[in-house]
Amino acid sequence: QVQLVESGGGSVQSGGSLKLSCVVSGYSHSRYSLGWFREVPGKKPEGVAAIDSDGRTSYADSVKGRFTISEDKNKNTLYLQMDSLRPEDTNVYYCAAGGHYGGIALGHVPHADWFGYMGQGTHVTVLS
């Protein structure tokens, strides 16, 4: 059974930082993609950042230069370091796991539909 459990959300002042974590269990594919998403009212979640099993990363334009996605394979944990946070970053953030997506190497963040598994989310509030 695949499980993804996020943590690290909270409230922070504008310009501050947070680091989200996601422990992935039960997903044993050697080639994979992991990602972070956030809600869009009335639409499917928006891709924020992604990383593939080769370590390549991709980011949404809105977070480039501010967010960093990384993975600790020994701990089966995905991270999202969020710096220079803005009030518009306030949202619920979800981590997701799925098959290897070649477009990450080209800078593309996969759509939420690509991922077969998603966590329950962690809340991030950025105060102005």
Side-chain angles (χ1 to χ4, degrees):
Q1 181 180 0
V2 179
Q3 282 191 314
L4 296 92
V5 181
E6 303 96 336
S7 62
S11 296
V12 64
Q13 293 291 329
S14 180
S17 298
L18 281 174
K19 187 173 186 177
L20 307 183
S21 300
C22 172
V23 177
V24 183
S25 59
Y27 194 83
S28 59
H29 298 277
S30 60
R31 305 263 306 154
Y32 56 81
S33 300
L34 302 172
W36 288 97
F37 290 80
R38 58 191 181 189
E39 292 183 339
V40 178
K43 297 184 179 181
K44 292 186 178 179
E46 170 193 37
V48 174
I51 187 168
D52 66 17
S53 45
D54 298 319
R56 298 186 182 99
T57 60
S58 60
Y59 298 90
D61 288 341
S62 58
V63 306
K64 277 181 183 175
R66 300 190 298 122
F67 292 8
T68 304
I69 189 171
S70 62
E71 178 194 14
D72 186 332
K73 295 187 179 187
N74 292 328
K75 295 182 178 180
N76 294 325
T77 301
L78 177 71
Y79 301 100
L80 185 68
Q81 177 67 44
M82 309 165 71
D83 298 319
S84 302
L85 281 162
R86 305 167 180 168
E88 54 264 37
D89 295 319
T90 295
N91 214 313
V92 180
Y93 286 77
Y94 304 86
C95 64
H100 188 267
Y101 184 79
I104 292 175
L106 302 175
H108 301 151
V109 179
H111 290 290
D113 289 344
W114 179 264
F115 296 90
Y117 305 95
M118 193 168 282
Q120 294 300 306
T122 185
H123 291 258
V124 171
T125 301
V126 184
L127 306 171
S128 58

